[in-house]
Each structure stands twice: as C-alpha cells, then as structure tokens.
Amino acid sequence: MAQEDVFKKLVAHCKEYGFVFQSSEIYDGLSAVYDYAQLGVELKNNIKKYWWDSMVKLHENVVGIDSAIFMHPTIWKASGHVDAFNDPLIDNKDSKKRYRADVLIEDLLAKFEAKMDKEVAKAQKKFGETFDEAQFRATNPRVLANKEKMDAIHARFVEALDKNDLVDLKQIIIDNEIACPISGTKNWTDVRQFNLMFSTDMGSTADGSSKIYLRPETAQGIFVNYLNVQKTGRMKIPFGIAQIGKAFRNEIVARQFIFRMREFEQMELQFFVRPGEEMKWFNAWKETRMSWHRALGFGEDKYRFHDHDKLAHYANAATDVEFKFPFGFKEVEGIHSRTDFDLKQHQEYSGKKIQYFDPELNKSYVPYVVETSIGVDRMFLQIMSEAYQEEKIEKEDGKVDERVVLKLPPALAPVKLCVMPLVKKDGLPDKAREIIDDLKFDFNCQYDEKDSIGKRYRRQDAIGTPFCVTLDHQSLEDNTVTLRYRDTMAQERVEISKLYEIIKSEVSMKELFKKLK
Ligand code: GAP
C-alpha cells in the first residue's frame, strides 16, 4: 500500500478510536488545531512522562519548571522573535493558496533524493547481495546527474536564506519550474516575510491594555527564570532546566495532521555550560537524545541527524533529529547550541545582571546554552505511525483473517490491560472486577464484556493494549486466567496472583530507561 494511503488510514484510525479529534469539529473545525481524545491524552501523558523522567529524574543536575504562557512583551523583543521570527511566504495567484517558499524548495530537493533512492533500490533488486550501494552512488551516471542538480540548487538556496534574499528565493522557484500543487501553474507573487507570533491584548480597556504574545517557544520562560532557579536551587554549572508546555505559531501552511499545528506542545531543555565547552555538551546531548528515541525500538534506520542549512539568529551549531514518517524523513527534535545570546539579551533589555560565579575558575560569566527541543505532537505522530499495522493472520481452517493493531511500546500504551469475563453471568463479571480493583492502582485497566472474545481482542489490538485477561469458569475454581499478548497473539494460562509481576515487567518505563545512554 502506498505510504500516503497508510497515512490517511492512520489519521482516520486516530479519530475512530478516540485518539485525536479535529478541534471545533461540530463547527467544521479550526485549521491546524487538534484536540486529544480519551486515549490520545493517555498516550500523550505517557510520552511526556518518558521525556520528563529521563531528563529530570535521571539527571542529578537537571530540574524542571512550569512557566506562564503570557510573558512580558519585551522578552520577545530581546529574544529577537519580534523582528526575526519570520517565514518566507509566497502565494499562487491562480489557486490563491499560500506556501512557504523554503518548503517548496525543500520539497523539490526531496524529489531529487527520492529519484536517487529509486535508482538505488532498482539496482539493489537487480544485483542482490553483491550490491555495493556506496560504489553505485559514486559512479552511476543518473544518480550523479541528479546529485549535481540537487547540490547546485541546495547551495543557491542556502545562500539566499543566509542573505535573506527573498528575490532569489522566488527566482529559484521560477528557474526550477516549481508549480502550485493545486492550480498546476507557476504564477507566483513575490516572496514576503511573515511573523509567526500570535498577539493579543492584556488589560481591560483599549487604552490601558498592552500587546502581548502567545509564546512561540517555551525556552524563553526558562531563560528569564535562569537566575531564580540557579540561586534557589543552588545549581552549579553545568546544569539544566527542563519544561513542558504549549507553544503557538501562526503557521503559514499547516500540513500533515498534527505534524505542523498552530497550537502545539514542546518539551525543552536549556543546559547551561561554561563558555567554550558548548560543543562538547552539544555532542553529548545529541547522543543522549538519539538514544532516547532509539530506546523505543522502531529501528536504527528510522532516524538521522540533519544539520541546519541556515543557523537561527541565536545559534552557533544546530541539528535536527529526523524520523522517517510515512511522508519521508522530517524533523521531530532540534538540538541547538544557543551561545550566550539569550541570557545576554535579557541582561541588556532587563538591566539585571545575569551571570554565574564559577568557584573553580574564580570568575563570573554569562553561561552558554545547549538546547534540546522536541514537539510532543510530532513524537505522538511518530509513535502512532510506527505502531499502526495491518496484519493478515492465517487461521487453523486455512482462511485468512485481518487485524489492525497498534504495536505501541507497552510503556506508552494508553491502556495496559483489558479484563474480559467469557460470559456475563455465573459470577465471572464480579471476579473480573476484583482483578481490576486490585490492579487499577498500578495500571490503566479496561473492562469489556460485550461481543465475542475475538471481537473484544480486536478492539484492544486497535488501541494498542498489550495484555488481555480472559476469565472462564475454570477461573472460579483455580484462580487462573488466560493472558493474551497483543503482538504475538500467544495465550497462556496464568495464576491471577502472578498478573501484576508479568504485566509490570513489560509496561514499566524502567525498561526504556535502562536502555538509555
Ligand atoms: N526553542 C527552540 C525551538 O522552538 P524549533 O525547531 O522551532 O525550536 C522545536 O521547534 C520542536 O518543536 C520541533 O522540532 C518540532 O518537534 C516542534 N514544533 C515546532 N513547530 C511546530 C508546529 N507548528 N507544530 C508541531 N510541532 C512543532
């Protein structure tokens, strides 16, 4: 099945099973805004816990905060967001559709890459095990021709971004005959800059009110609390401050479901270090964060680093962790070496000294910062797109059955077990409730007595529940139940008293944490 079709099915599945709903759906929705539903919120909370504990619990020198969304408007002047938090936009005059000029060019570059990958895949099929991919890429004329074109466009693109040359950005689009996907025409407006921050008024009267912004990143809430945390927590450099919270961006083009939203959630760490040591910490955090992703078990080939073509105004090094979504490799996390830009700016704009006295060096300085910043929603999409699987199952009578199963990492699954009495009578429901009453303090449990056991198993597969526990009449006699495993569909008879240990060993986050570097 084409990857786009898989993605469409995933989006439909998220709605059908209560993971994600379009915001304000009964009013025909609000573009690029989504609500997390009854199961979605559980998965999202588990993702946040996995991140928070891995940062705050597992690092002695990292503490957390929860700062307000509304902040003093000067903060956004100091941080550079008022002047420079822009995206280059372009409109197609025929379809009246608006695009990000840089994204149109990036999509073109991705097409060249896809063409080269196709050549490689074809050759791989032809030559089998003897195939040498590196040599093929270095010598095949079609691959080389595509690479040459791609590199030339890329170099020009980077230069235009660096120089903020909006005229050349448009010219790249024209020269490469990029057409609007809707109208199919190349009838473009000029490229203009568009500030992504939402603003509103604070105060009750028009005269007495002041313009404030909805934060476009949570990071500034950490910077402006740096001194408070360092002093009250007696933190010694190097140390970090972690935060999870909502951020808002008036994205020009919101695409791919919850991948690019106007209201989203970030999990950010600002790690304060000695000036000159930032590259050491930048590399260390790259490794730590990659191991956090890989511990989920989706496969090494699903991730890669992508260094930024254009560094943000505050950074001296930056890379993205990219994940292979059904629509290609895309950013899920940014790791940035932000220098001392932010703290220095706040020092200047606030007039307050923001420095650290380093007892070992016996001097004061403005710390440098390494940031890791990941979107909760993109992580959610990553996990769902990897977990969603359609399987064909051969039955004993030779017929083929199908199931949709969410192979979620058990520690993140919204529901850990479902308890099912085989029939709704003979005391089985009461016994099932007893099991739930015993386990509900440790695990999120469901109870289901409706329909055949097969149908109930399918319902739980579709929401990613790792365990189903079925009671029958034998359970009343010997206190045993059938435990069914989601991924293998294997079943075994176990004592009720053993359920806690078996389930805990699989769904505990500790198993994920043990894999972290
Ligand atoms: N403080 C740095 C910062 O905000 P960023 O690369 O702009 O850096 C970090 O954003 C992460 O936030 C991204 O890697 C992505 O996961 C998430 N993110 C950014 N914009 C988003 C959007 N419109 N919708 C969903 N997630 C978004």
Side-chain angles (χ1 to χ4, degrees), residues 224-245:
V224 297
N225 277 298
Y226 159 79
L227 266 187
N228 280 340
V229 174
Q230 192 270 317
K231 293 226 159 85
T232 58
R234 293 179 296 119
M235 307 303 292
K236 287 197 174 57
I237 273 180
F239 76 92
I241 305 178
Q243 168 157 238
I244 299 179

mmCIF file with all atom_site columns, all heavy atoms in Angstrom, residues 224-245:
data_model
loop_
_atom_site.group_PDB
_atom_site.id
_atom_site.type_symbol
_atom_site.label_atom_id
_atom_site.label_alt_id
_atom_site.label_comp_id
_atom_site.label_asym_id
_atom_site.label_entity_id
_atom_site.label_seq_id
_atom_site.pdbx_PDB_ins_code
_atom_site.Cartn_x
_atom_site.Cartn_y
_atom_site.Cartn_z
_atom_site.occupancy
_atom_site.B_iso_or_equiv
_atom_site.pdbx_formal_charge
_atom_site.auth_seq_id
_atom_site.auth_comp_id
_atom_site.auth_asym_id
_atom_site.auth_atom_id
_atom_site.pdbx_PDB_model_num
ATOM 1   N N   . VAL A 1 224 ? 14.329 33.474 31.328 1.00 0.00 ? 224 VAL A N   1
ATOM 2   C CA  . VAL A 1 224 ? 14.039 34.572 32.258 1.00 0.00 ? 224 VAL A CA  1
ATOM 3   C C   . VAL A 1 224 ? 13.934 34.080 33.702 1.00 0.00 ? 224 VAL A C   1
ATOM 4   O O   . VAL A 1 224 ? 13.881 34.887 34.625 1.00 0.00 ? 224 VAL A O   1
ATOM 5   C CB  . VAL A 1 224 ? 12.778 35.390 31.840 1.00 0.00 ? 224 VAL A CB  1
ATOM 6   C CG1 . VAL A 1 224 ? 13.003 36.051 30.497 1.00 0.00 ? 224 VAL A CG1 1
ATOM 7   C CG2 . VAL A 1 224 ? 11.522 34.535 31.828 1.00 0.00 ? 224 VAL A CG2 1
ATOM 8   N N   . ASN A 1 225 ? 13.900 32.756 33.905 1.00 0.00 ? 225 ASN A N   1
ATOM 9   C CA  . ASN A 1 225 ? 13.917 32.200 35.262 1.00 0.00 ? 225 ASN A CA  1
ATOM 10  C C   . ASN A 1 225 ? 15.279 31.644 35.638 1.00 0.00 ? 225 ASN A C   1
ATOM 11  O O   . ASN A 1 225 ? 15.435 31.045 36.708 1.00 0.00 ? 225 ASN A O   1
ATOM 12  C CB  . ASN A 1 225 ? 12.872 31.080 35.383 1.00 0.00 ? 225 ASN A CB  1
ATOM 13  C CG  . ASN A 1 225 ? 11.493 31.656 35.668 1.00 0.00 ? 225 ASN A CG  1
ATOM 14  O OD1 . ASN A 1 225 ? 11.285 32.296 36.690 1.00 0.00 ? 225 ASN A OD1 1
ATOM 15  N ND2 . ASN A 1 225 ? 10.558 31.447 34.762 1.00 0.00 ? 225 ASN A ND2 1
ATOM 16  N N   . TYR A 1 226 ? 16.258 31.812 34.757 1.00 0.00 ? 226 TYR A N   1
ATOM 17  C CA  . TYR A 1 226 ? 17.581 31.213 34.989 1.00 0.00 ? 226 TYR A CA  1
ATOM 18  C C   . TYR A 1 226 ? 18.136 31.588 36.372 1.00 0.00 ? 226 TYR A C   1
ATOM 19  O O   . TYR A 1 226 ? 18.530 30.738 37.172 1.00 0.00 ? 226 TYR A O   1
ATOM 20  C CB  . TYR A 1 226 ? 18.568 31.622 33.875 1.00 0.00 ? 226 TYR A CB  1
ATOM 21  C CG  . TYR A 1 226 ? 19.994 31.488 34.308 1.00 0.00 ? 226 TYR A CG  1
ATOM 22  C CD1 . TYR A 1 226 ? 20.616 30.242 34.320 1.00 0.00 ? 226 TYR A CD1 1
ATOM 23  C CD2 . TYR A 1 226 ? 20.706 32.593 34.769 1.00 0.00 ? 226 TYR A CD2 1
ATOM 24  C CE1 . TYR A 1 226 ? 21.921 30.106 34.774 1.00 0.00 ? 226 TYR A CE1 1
ATOM 25  C CE2 . TYR A 1 226 ? 22.007 32.461 35.224 1.00 0.00 ? 226 TYR A CE2 1
ATOM 26  C CZ  . TYR A 1 226 ? 22.606 31.225 35.223 1.00 0.00 ? 226 TYR A CZ  1
ATOM 27  O OH  . TYR A 1 226 ? 23.887 31.089 35.686 1.00 0.00 ? 226 TYR A OH  1
ATOM 28  N N   . LEU A 1 227 ? 18.132 32.900 36.659 1.00 0.00 ? 227 LEU A N   1
ATOM 29  C CA  . LEU A 1 227 ? 18.742 33.362 37.913 1.00 0.00 ? 227 LEU A CA  1
ATOM 30  C C   . LEU A 1 227 ? 18.003 32.808 39.120 1.00 0.00 ? 227 LEU A C   1
ATOM 31  O O   . LEU A 1 227 ? 18.618 32.340 40.075 1.00 0.00 ? 227 LEU A O   1
ATOM 32  C CB  . LEU A 1 227 ? 18.692 34.895 37.979 1.00 0.00 ? 227 LEU A CB  1
ATOM 33  C CG  . LEU A 1 227 ? 19.908 35.677 37.496 1.00 0.00 ? 227 LEU A CG  1
ATOM 34  C CD1 . LEU A 1 227 ? 19.721 37.152 37.814 1.00 0.00 ? 227 LEU A CD1 1
ATOM 35  C CD2 . LEU A 1 227 ? 21.199 35.151 38.139 1.00 0.00 ? 227 LEU A CD2 1
ATOM 36  N N   . ASN A 1 228 ? 16.641 32.879 39.056 1.00 0.00 ? 228 ASN A N   1
ATOM 37  C CA  . ASN A 1 228 ? 15.832 32.385 40.175 1.00 0.00 ? 228 ASN A CA  1
ATOM 38  C C   . ASN A 1 228 ? 16.144 30.929 40.477 1.00 0.00 ? 228 ASN A C   1
ATOM 39  O O   . ASN A 1 228 ? 16.351 30.544 41.630 1.00 0.00 ? 228 ASN A O   1
ATOM 40  C CB  . ASN A 1 228 ? 14.333 32.491 39.828 1.00 0.00 ? 228 ASN A CB  1
ATOM 41  C CG  . ASN A 1 228 ? 13.823 33.907 40.032 1.00 0.00 ? 228 ASN A CG  1
ATOM 42  O OD1 . ASN A 1 228 ? 14.446 34.681 40.756 1.00 0.00 ? 228 ASN A OD1 1
ATOM 43  N ND2 . ASN A 1 228 ? 12.715 34.242 39.399 1.00 0.00 ? 228 ASN A ND2 1
ATOM 44  N N   . VAL A 1 229 ? 16.171 30.109 39.420 1.00 0.00 ? 229 VAL A N   1
ATOM 45  C CA  . VAL A 1 229 ? 16.395 28.667 39.624 1.00 0.00 ? 229 VAL A CA  1
ATOM 46  C C   . VAL A 1 229 ? 17.824 28.412 40.104 1.00 0.00 ? 229 VAL A C   1
ATOM 47  O O   . VAL A 1 229 ? 18.056 27.643 41.038 1.00 0.00 ? 229 VAL A O   1
ATOM 48  C CB  . VAL A 1 229 ? 16.110 27.875 38.321 1.00 0.00 ? 229 VAL A CB  1
ATOM 49  C CG1 . VAL A 1 229 ? 16.484 26.410 38.496 1.00 0.00 ? 229 VAL A CG1 1
ATOM 50  C CG2 . VAL A 1 229 ? 14.645 28.000 37.926 1.00 0.00 ? 229 VAL A CG2 1
ATOM 51  N N   . GLN A 1 230 ? 18.779 29.089 39.470 1.00 0.00 ? 230 GLN A N   1
ATOM 52  C CA  . GLN A 1 230 ? 20.182 28.849 39.832 1.00 0.00 ? 230 GLN A CA  1
ATOM 53  C C   . GLN A 1 230 ? 20.420 29.176 41.313 1.00 0.00 ? 230 GLN A C   1
ATOM 54  O O   . GLN A 1 230 ? 21.050 28.402 42.032 1.00 0.00 ? 230 GLN A O   1
ATOM 55  C CB  . GLN A 1 230 ? 21.097 29.702 38.936 1.00 0.00 ? 230 GLN A CB  1
ATOM 56  C CG  . GLN A 1 230 ? 22.560 29.336 39.002 1.00 0.00 ? 230 GLN A CG  1
ATOM 57  C CD  . GLN A 1 230 ? 23.289 30.117 40.089 1.00 0.00 ? 230 GLN A CD  1
ATOM 58  O OE1 . GLN A 1 230 ? 23.090 31.322 40.245 1.00 0.00 ? 230 GLN A OE1 1
ATOM 59  N NE2 . GLN A 1 230 ? 24.123 29.435 40.851 1.00 0.00 ? 230 GLN A NE2 1
ATOM 60  N N   . LYS A 1 231 ? 19.817 30.314 41.744 1.00 0.00 ? 231 LYS A N   1
ATOM 61  C CA  . LYS A 1 231 ? 20.055 30.742 43.131 1.00 0.00 ? 231 LYS A CA  1
ATOM 62  C C   . LYS A 1 231 ? 19.290 29.873 44.118 1.00 0.00 ? 231 LYS A C   1
ATOM 63  O O   . LYS A 1 231 ? 19.847 29.370 45.071 1.00 0.00 ? 231 LYS A O   1
ATOM 64  C CB  . LYS A 1 231 ? 19.638 32.203 43.289 1.00 0.00 ? 231 LYS A CB  1
ATOM 65  C CG  . LYS A 1 231 ? 20.533 33.158 42.500 1.00 0.00 ? 231 LYS A CG  1
ATOM 66  C CD  . LYS A 1 231 ? 20.942 34.364 43.340 1.00 0.00 ? 231 LYS A CD  1
ATOM 67  C CE  . LYS A 1 231 ? 22.178 35.034 42.791 1.00 0.00 ? 231 LYS A CE  1
ATOM 68  N NZ  . LYS A 1 231 ? 21.889 36.005 41.737 1.00 0.00 ? 231 LYS A NZ  1
ATOM 69  N N   . THR A 1 232 ? 17.958 29.724 43.877 1.00 0.00 ? 232 THR A N   1
ATOM 70  C CA  . THR A 1 232 ? 17.144 29.000 44.866 1.00 0.00 ? 232 THR A CA  1
ATOM 71  C C   . THR A 1 232 ? 17.465 27.510 44.876 1.00 0.00 ? 232 THR A C   1
ATOM 72  O O   . THR A 1 232 ? 17.327 26.847 45.898 1.00 0.00 ? 232 THR A O   1
ATOM 73  C CB  . THR A 1 232 ? 15.636 29.190 44.605 1.00 0.00 ? 232 THR A CB  1
ATOM 74  O OG1 . THR A 1 232 ? 15.360 28.729 43.270 1.00 0.00 ? 232 THR A OG1 1
ATOM 75  C CG2 . THR A 1 232 ? 15.207 30.633 44.735 1.00 0.00 ? 232 THR A CG2 1
ATOM 76  N N   . GLY A 1 233 ? 17.890 26.975 43.729 1.00 0.00 ? 233 GLY A N   1
ATOM 77  C CA  . GLY A 1 233 ? 18.226 25.542 43.678 1.00 0.00 ? 233 GLY A CA  1
ATOM 78  C C   . GLY A 1 233 ? 19.698 25.282 43.939 1.00 0.00 ? 233 GLY A C   1
ATOM 79  O O   . GLY A 1 233 ? 20.134 24.140 43.905 1.00 0.00 ? 233 GLY A O   1
ATOM 80  N N   . ARG A 1 234 ? 20.473 26.351 44.182 1.00 0.00 ? 234 ARG A N   1
ATOM 81  C CA  . ARG A 1 234 ? 21.932 26.272 44.392 1.00 0.00 ? 234 ARG A CA  1
ATOM 82  C C   . ARG A 1 234 ? 22.574 25.402 43.315 1.00 0.00 ? 234 ARG A C   1
ATOM 83  O O   . ARG A 1 234 ? 23.334 24.479 43.574 1.00 0.00 ? 234 ARG A O   1
ATOM 84  C CB  . ARG A 1 234 ? 22.244 25.761 45.804 1.00 0.00 ? 234 ARG A CB  1
ATOM 85  C CG  . ARG A 1 234 ? 21.818 26.763 46.884 1.00 0.00 ? 234 ARG A CG  1
ATOM 86  C CD  . ARG A 1 234 ? 22.091 26.304 48.292 1.00 0.00 ? 234 ARG A CD  1
ATOM 87  N NE  . ARG A 1 234 ? 21.313 25.122 48.619 1.00 0.00 ? 234 ARG A NE  1
ATOM 88  C CZ  . ARG A 1 234 ? 21.852 23.951 48.960 1.00 0.00 ? 234 ARG A CZ  1
ATOM 89  N NH1 . ARG A 1 234 ? 23.157 23.815 49.033 1.00 0.00 ? 234 ARG A NH1 1
ATOM 90  N NH2 . ARG A 1 234 ? 21.092 22.923 49.242 1.00 0.00 ? 234 ARG A NH2 1
ATOM 91  N N   . MET A 1 235 ? 22.199 25.708 42.065 1.00 0.00 ? 235 MET A N   1
ATOM 92  C CA  . MET A 1 235 ? 22.657 24.882 40.937 1.00 0.00 ? 235 MET A CA  1
ATOM 93  C C   . MET A 1 235 ? 24.072 25.302 40.539 1.00 0.00 ? 235 MET A C   1
ATOM 94  O O   . MET A 1 235 ? 24.386 26.490 40.503 1.00 0.00 ? 235 MET A O   1
ATOM 95  C CB  . MET A 1 235 ? 21.729 25.055 39.727 1.00 0.00 ? 235 MET A CB  1
ATOM 96  C CG  . MET A 1 235 ? 20.248 24.821 40.005 1.00 0.00 ? 235 MET A CG  1
ATOM 97  S SD  . MET A 1 235 ? 19.873 23.204 40.671 1.00 0.00 ? 235 MET A SD  1
ATOM 98  C CE  . MET A 1 235 ? 20.236 22.165 39.282 1.00 0.00 ? 235 MET A CE  1
ATOM 99  N N   . LYS A 1 236 ? 24.861 24.286 40.198 1.00 0.00 ? 236 LYS A N   1
ATOM 100 C CA  . LYS A 1 236 ? 26.245 24.569 39.768 1.00 0.00 ? 236 LYS A CA  1
ATOM 101 C C   . LYS A 1 236 ? 26.380 24.213 38.302 1.00 0.00 ? 236 LYS A C   1
ATOM 102 O O   . LYS A 1 236 ? 25.921 23.154 37.855 1.00 0.00 ? 236 LYS A O   1
ATOM 103 C CB  . LYS A 1 236 ? 27.225 23.703 40.559 1.00 0.00 ? 236 LYS A CB  1
ATOM 104 C CG  . LYS A 1 236 ? 27.373 24.155 41.990 1.00 0.00 ? 236 LYS A CG  1
ATOM 105 C CD  . LYS A 1 236 ? 28.641 23.542 42.606 1.00 0.00 ? 236 LYS A CD  1
ATOM 106 C CE  . LYS A 1 236 ? 28.891 24.103 43.977 1.00 0.00 ? 236 LYS A CE  1
ATOM 107 N NZ  . LYS A 1 236 ? 27.778 23.896 44.884 1.00 0.00 ? 236 LYS A NZ  1
ATOM 108 N N   . ILE A 1 237 ? 27.023 25.073 37.560 1.00 0.00 ? 237 ILE A N   1
ATOM 109 C CA  . ILE A 1 237 ? 27.232 24.810 36.135 1.00 0.00 ? 237 ILE A CA  1
ATOM 110 C C   . ILE A 1 237 ? 28.187 23.636 35.928 1.00 0.00 ? 237 ILE A C   1
ATOM 111 O O   . ILE A 1 237 ? 29.186 23.567 36.654 1.00 0.00 ? 237 ILE A O   1
ATOM 112 C CB  . ILE A 1 237 ? 27.736 26.109 35.457 1.00 0.00 ? 237 ILE A CB  1
ATOM 113 C CG1 . ILE A 1 237 ? 26.480 26.897 35.057 1.00 0.00 ? 237 ILE A CG1 1
ATOM 114 C CG2 . ILE A 1 237 ? 28.660 25.852 34.276 1.00 0.00 ? 237 ILE A CG2 1
ATOM 115 C CD1 . ILE A 1 237 ? 26.700 28.196 34.376 1.00 0.00 ? 237 ILE A CD1 1
ATOM 116 N N   . PRO A 1 238 ? 27.914 22.646 35.051 1.00 0.00 ? 238 PRO A N   1
ATOM 117 C CA  . PRO A 1 238 ? 26.793 22.635 34.121 1.00 0.00 ? 238 PRO A CA  1
ATOM 118 C C   . PRO A 1 238 ? 25.500 22.126 34.782 1.00 0.00 ? 238 PRO A C   1
ATOM 119 O O   . PRO A 1 238 ? 25.534 21.180 35.552 1.00 0.00 ? 238 PRO A O   1
ATOM 120 C CB  . PRO A 1 238 ? 27.268 21.627 33.059 1.00 0.00 ? 238 PRO A CB  1
ATOM 121 C CG  . PRO A 1 238 ? 28.138 20.677 33.817 1.00 0.00 ? 238 PRO A CG  1
ATOM 122 C CD  . PRO A 1 238 ? 28.789 21.480 34.901 1.00 0.00 ? 238 PRO A CD  1
ATOM 123 N N   . PHE A 1 239 ? 24.377 22.775 34.442 1.00 0.00 ? 239 PHE A N   1
ATOM 124 C CA  . PHE A 1 239 ? 23.081 22.276 34.911 1.00 0.00 ? 239 PHE A CA  1
ATOM 125 C C   . PHE A 1 239 ? 22.010 22.639 33.877 1.00 0.00 ? 239 PHE A C   1
ATOM 126 O O   . PHE A 1 239 ? 22.226 23.493 33.013 1.00 0.00 ? 239 PHE A O   1
ATOM 127 C CB  . PHE A 1 239 ? 22.736 22.845 36.297 1.00 0.00 ? 239 PHE A CB  1
ATOM 128 C CG  . PHE A 1 239 ? 22.274 24.278 36.280 1.00 0.00 ? 239 PHE A CG  1
ATOM 129 C CD1 . PHE A 1 239 ? 20.922 24.598 36.176 1.00 0.00 ? 239 PHE A CD1 1
ATOM 130 C CD2 . PHE A 1 239 ? 23.192 25.308 36.380 1.00 0.00 ? 239 PHE A CD2 1
ATOM 131 C CE1 . PHE A 1 239 ? 20.499 25.926 36.177 1.00 0.00 ? 239 PHE A CE1 1
ATOM 132 C CE2 . PHE A 1 239 ? 22.785 26.633 36.367 1.00 0.00 ? 239 PHE A CE2 1
ATOM 133 C CZ  . PHE A 1 239 ? 21.438 26.951 36.270 1.00 0.00 ? 239 PHE A CZ  1
ATOM 134 N N   . GLY A 1 240 ? 20.864 21.951 34.017 1.00 0.00 ? 240 GLY A N   1
ATOM 135 C CA  . GLY A 1 240 ? 19.807 22.177 33.033 1.00 0.00 ? 240 GLY A CA  1
ATOM 136 C C   . GLY A 1 240 ? 18.472 22.496 33.676 1.00 0.00 ? 240 GLY A C   1
ATOM 137 O O   . GLY A 1 240 ? 18.213 22.136 34.829 1.00 0.00 ? 240 GLY A O   1
ATOM 138 N N   . ILE A 1 241 ? 17.626 23.207 32.910 1.00 0.00 ? 241 ILE A N   1
ATOM 139 C CA  . ILE A 1 241 ? 16.240 23.453 33.325 1.00 0.00 ? 241 ILE A CA  1
ATOM 140 C C   . ILE A 1 241 ? 15.338 22.904 32.221 1.00 0.00 ? 241 ILE A C   1
ATOM 141 O O   . ILE A 1 241 ? 15.503 23.241 31.040 1.00 0.00 ? 241 ILE A O   1
ATOM 142 C CB  . ILE A 1 241 ? 15.964 24.954 33.550 1.00 0.00 ? 241 ILE A CB  1
ATOM 143 C CG1 . ILE A 1 241 ? 16.960 25.552 34.550 1.00 0.00 ? 241 ILE A CG1 1
ATOM 144 C CG2 . ILE A 1 241 ? 14.531 25.163 34.037 1.00 0.00 ? 241 ILE A CG2 1
ATOM 145 C CD1 . ILE A 1 241 ? 16.781 27.048 34.797 1.00 0.00 ? 241 ILE A CD1 1
ATOM 146 N N   . ALA A 1 242 ? 14.401 22.043 32.638 1.00 0.00 ? 242 ALA A N   1
ATOM 147 C CA  . ALA A 1 242 ? 13.508 21.390 31.674 1.00 0.00 ? 242 ALA A CA  1
ATOM 148 C C   . ALA A 1 242 ? 12.100 21.955 31.816 1.00 0.00 ? 242 ALA A C   1
ATOM 149 O O   . ALA A 1 242 ? 11.705 22.390 32.901 1.00 0.00 ? 242 ALA A O   1
ATOM 150 C CB  . ALA A 1 242 ? 13.483 19.893 31.939 1.00 0.00 ? 242 ALA A CB  1
ATOM 151 N N   . GLN A 1 243 ? 11.365 21.940 30.718 1.00 0.00 ? 243 GLN A N   1
ATOM 152 C CA  . GLN A 1 243 ? 9.988  22.437 30.782 1.00 0.00 ? 243 GLN A CA  1
ATOM 153 C C   . GLN A 1 243 ? 9.153  21.784 29.670 1.00 0.00 ? 243 GLN A C   1
ATOM 154 O O   . GLN A 1 243 ? 9.640  21.573 28.553 1.00 0.00 ? 243 GLN A O   1
ATOM 155 C CB  . GLN A 1 243 ? 9.968  23.955 30.605 1.00 0.00 ? 243 GLN A CB  1
ATOM 156 C CG  . GLN A 1 243 ? 8.558  24.526 30.357 1.00 0.00 ? 243 GLN A CG  1
ATOM 157 C CD  . GLN A 1 243 ? 8.427  25.988 30.710 1.00 0.00 ? 243 GLN A CD  1
ATOM 158 O OE1 . GLN A 1 243 ? 7.604  26.347 31.532 1.00 0.00 ? 243 GLN A OE1 1
ATOM 159 N NE2 . GLN A 1 243 ? 9.210  26.835 30.088 1.00 0.00 ? 243 GLN A NE2 1
ATOM 160 N N   . ILE A 1 244 ? 7.899  21.487 30.010 1.00 0.00 ? 244 ILE A N   1
ATOM 161 C CA  . ILE A 1 244 ? 6.940  21.007 29.003 1.00 0.00 ? 244 ILE A CA  1
ATOM 162 C C   . ILE A 1 244 ? 5.802  22.023 28.965 1.00 0.00 ? 244 ILE A C   1
ATOM 163 O O   . ILE A 1 244 ? 5.292  22.407 30.018 1.00 0.00 ? 244 ILE A O   1
ATOM 164 C CB  . ILE A 1 244 ? 6.365  19.623 29.386 1.00 0.00 ? 244 ILE A CB  1
ATOM 165 C CG1 . ILE A 1 244 ? 7.485  18.578 29.470 1.00 0.00 ? 244 ILE A CG1 1
ATOM 166 C CG2 . ILE A 1 244 ? 5.300  19.183 28.375 1.00 0.00 ? 244 ILE A CG2 1
ATOM 167 C CD1 . ILE A 1 244 ? 7.023  17.180 29.877 1.00 0.00 ? 244 ILE A CD1 1
ATOM 168 N N   . GLY A 1 245 ? 5.410  22.463 27.791 1.00 0.00 ? 245 GLY A N   1
ATOM 169 C CA  . GLY A 1 245 ? 4.295  23.406 27.750 1.00 0.00 ? 245 GLY A CA  1
ATOM 170 C C   . GLY A 1 245 ? 3.864  23.759 26.352 1.00 0.00 ? 245 GLY A C   1
ATOM 171 O O   . GLY A 1 245 ? 4.529  23.429 25.363 1.00 0.00 ? 245 GLY A O   1
#
